[in-house]
Amino acid sequence: LWPKFEDPQVGENLAFTGAVKDDVVDLVALGANLMVRLREIAPGKLAERYKLSIDEMKTGYELLTEAARRRGFLLPGNEFDVERMARILLDEYREGRLGRLTLERPPAREN
């Protein structure tokens, strides 16, 4: 892959799919951004898989935290393990457990 993307969305989409190594990205931020994207393109699947209430006002991090809470991913000090949840979300997206989802759509044609 080339080292720099003109459109940051392209790089993020590649990271979602695993084409960019997880070692070079912030997994929590990536997972939070994927939550937002999934809320836009497949809110029903997201709500069903992670038992979330899909609220347009919630941030991706809040959705990730709620999913971690629902899965019981608790750390010492009563904090939720959002990194673990982000890894699971990315893995499940990559494995197709959320269904066949497309992150990019072709531009609308003008008639």
Side-chain angles (χ1 to χ4, degrees):
L1 297 175
W2 53 95
K4 193 171 188 177
F5 304 103
E6 288 183 27
D7 182 0
Q9 192 67 55
V10 171
E12 188 172 68
N13 287 347
L14 288 170
F16 289 152
T17 64
V20 175
K21 290 184 179 182
D22 288 342
D23 299 345
V24 298
V25 295
D26 178 347
L27 286 180
V28 173
L30 190 64
N33 290 344
L34 182 55
M35 279 286 192
V36 170
R37 294 287 295 284
L38 292 174
R39 178 178 61 198
E40 293 169 1
I41 61 174
K45 290 180 181 184
L46 183 65
E48 179 184 336
R49 179 80 185 170
Y50 300 107
K51 310 295 186 245
L52 300 174
S53 59
I54 302 301
D55 181 350
E56 295 296 322
M57 302 305 291
K58 287 184 182 175
T59 65
Y61 186 80
E62 290 170 332
L63 290 170
L64 200 60
T65 302
E66 183 180 340
R69 181 180 61 80
R70 296 224 181 245
R71 293 261 173 120
F73 297 160
L74 196 60
L75 292 170
N78 291 329
E79 291 186 34
F80 295 104
D81 193 347
V82 291
E83 183 174 348
R84 181 178 175 196
M85 188 62 233
R87 284 184 189 281
I88 288 173
L89 172 67
L90 290 164
D91 287 345
E92 290 183 350
Y93 172 76
R94 292 168 183 167
E95 293 168 2
R97 291 186 187 176
L98 297 168
R100 300 179 91 181
L101 303 173
T102 301
L103 296 172
E104 295 180 338
R105 302 244 187 247
R109 293 184 356 186
E110 294 182 27
N111 294 332

